[in-house]
Amino acid sequence: MDINVPRKDVGLDERRKRRRLRREKQRAENVGRAEKMHLARLAGKGPGRHSTELAKSAYVGCSGWFYWKWRGKFFPAEMPTSEWFTHYAQQFDTVEINASFYSWPTVANVKTWLRQPGTRAFVYTIKVCELITHVKRFGDTETLVKDFGLIGDILGKRMGCFLFQLPPSYRFTEERLRAILSQLDHTRRNVVEFRHASWWNETVYSAFRESGTIFCSCSGPRLPDVLVRTANDIYLRMHGPERWYRHDYSEGELAEWAERIKNSGARRAWVYFNNDYESFAPGNALTMRRLLDQTGFDQAPSEVDVSVAAPSS
């Protein structure tokens, strides 16, 4: 039985079993995939390091693009899945790759991403594999971080950010903060997302500023409703303020976030919508992009003190 094929007639218990088996298989394979990328990096199979010049000041898109629940809503019902990415890329110029969190990508995977947009100007943000963030939890992972960085070298001008997401159980300690920042490759555009509110504090902000690391602001349940800026770039993930992945943001809610982004003084903003469960993400992302255009964010000053933008209400 193919555990990856969606079936409407499969019960909840069976779906959970399939998901557990799939996750176990992915985690077992990630160690070997990471080792292959390590060897590829040592063999110099990437094109080499170079700075990525980005044309835009605001990149707005979705956290992933291949969702069965989007069929008949964002994707036309009769459109074959082979055309889904093209349809997405006709409306957005960036995507946050989530599959890389569950399954460490191969070099072939990354080269496919590189070719996928064709001649379009398109940028990827890559979510770092859970082997680093959830399994090892930054325990002696410096080599793994360097190996994963080969993805950025292959993507070249299509590379946006590396997103490191930590689990909700991962509470703030100064030791953990030092461990994270000491193992990141600070020549990359690194974003760190925490899911425990203890990380929203000035000790973390100050350390991130000093290293140039981007603190990920979140619209999510039980997380501080603030826009934090610790670098020239700001990064915002829209999960849903009360329920994970299911909230349909109103124009008023998005306008408030757009105003905060404009007032942050950042040179560049990355905004990704992860409220994909009921297909709200694409529509919300298009609205946010329009609102940012209306605020004139691309004309925002480039030199402003790094700060935390609190809610207006």
Side-chain angles (χ1 to χ4, degrees):
M1 181 181 294
D2 186 350
I3 62 176
N4 295 301
V5 176
R7 291 279 304 277
K8 291 183 179 180
D9 57 342
V10 173
L12 179 60
D13 288 343
E14 179 63 22
R15 290 199 299 271
R16 287 174 174 170
K17 179 182 177 182
R18 291 186 183 188
R19 183 178 186 278
R20 177 177 55 80
L21 292 173
R22 182 171 65 251
R23 299 291 289 113
E24 289 174 357
K25 182 173 184 289
Q26 288 171 327
R27 284 176 173 152
E29 291 175 343
N30 280 340
V31 175
R33 283 170 167 251
E35 178 61 24
K36 288 181 179 179
M37 188 162 283
H38 175 70
L39 296 175
R41 178 173 68 84
L42 295 182
K45 292 192 176 180
R49 300 295 295 273
H50 62 279
S51 61
T52 303
E53 296 295 330
L54 296 170
K56 296 189 64 177
S57 58
Y59 287 90
V60 182
C62 301
S63 299
W65 56 271
F66 194 99
Y67 295 106
W68 292 105
K69 290 179 181 292
W70 290 12
R71 171 176 268 167
K73 295 180 180 178
F74 177 67
F75 298 117
E78 302 306 316
M79 177 178 285
T81 57
S82 60
E83 296 178 11
W84 282 11
F85 180 83
T86 298
H87 181 78
Y88 177 92
Q90 287 171 345
Q91 300 183 60
F92 298 101
D93 53 18
T94 188
V95 71
E96 191 182 75
I97 296 290
N98 274 332
S100 51
F101 172 80
Y102 300 103
S103 183
W104 189 295
T106 65
V107 170
N109 292 151
V110 183
K111 289 182 177 179
T112 297
W113 298 340
L114 181 64
R115 294 190 300 268
Q116 223 171 200
T119 60
R120 295 184 182 87
F122 195 90
V123 176
Y124 295 96
T125 278
I126 310 299
K127 191 172 179 180
V128 175
C129 185
E130 66 169 354
L131 178 62
I132 294 171
T133 58
H134 284 57
V135 177
K136 293 183 175 292
R137 296 189 173 205
F138 277 101
D140 192 25
T141 58
E142 187 172 3
T143 298
L144 285 173
V145 170
K146 288 181 180 177
D147 297 337
F148 201 86
L150 180 64
I151 294 172
D153 295 338
I154 296 172
L155 289 178
K157 67 181 181 180
R158 296 200 185 279
M159 182 65 205
C161 305
F162 283 112
L163 172 65
F164 296 81
Q165 180 201 304
L166 279 301
S169 60
Y170 195 80
R171 296 169 177 261
F172 165 75
T173 69
E174 292 194 16
E175 182 180 2
R176 285 175 170 176
L177 174 61
R178 288 192 296 270
I180 292 170
L181 295 181
S182 67
Q183 294 181 75
L184 295 180
D185 179 351
H186 294 290
T187 64
R188 308 286 187 184
R189 192 178 291 107
N190 299 308
V191 181
V192 182
E193 180 187 15
F194 300 106
R195 292 288 180 90
H196 194 279
S198 61
W199 290 91
W200 273 255
N201 68 70
E202 187 53 42
T203 299
V204 175
Y205 302 156
S206 178
F208 272 44
R209 291 180 194 126
E210 290 178 6
S211 62
T213 306
I214 304 167
F215 187 97
C216 181
S217 301
C218 297
S219 171
R222 298 175 298 283
L223 296 176
D225 186 28
V226 294
L227 182 66
V228 180
R229 180 189 166 204
T230 59
N232 287 328
D233 292 46
I234 55 175
Y235 198 102
L236 174 61
R237 299 191 85 206
M238 307 293 282
H239 304 294
E242 297 176 356
R243 298 180 67 197
W244 291 98
Y245 320 125
R246 296 172 184 265
H247 183 73
D248 186 10
Y249 287 90
S250 69
E251 180 149 345
E253 289 174 311
L254 296 177
E256 183 174 347
W257 280 107
E259 193 65 21
R260 294 185 207 177
I261 291 170
K262 177 188 175 183
N263 294 335
S264 71
R267 294 182 182 177
R268 183 172 294 107
W270 306 83
V271 185
Y272 292 102
F273 285 80
N274 198 27
N275 52 338
D276 59 81
Y277 193 80
E278 295 180 22
S279 309
F280 296 134
N284 287 174
L286 290 171
T287 299
M288 174 63 88
R289 191 174 64 188
R290 172 174 56 80
L291 291 169
L292 285 176
D293 289 343
Q294 290 174 356
T295 66
F297 173 71
D298 57 346
Q299 299 173 14
S302 60
E303 297 296 338
V304 176
D305 289 339
V306 173
S307 60
V308 177
S312 58
S313 56

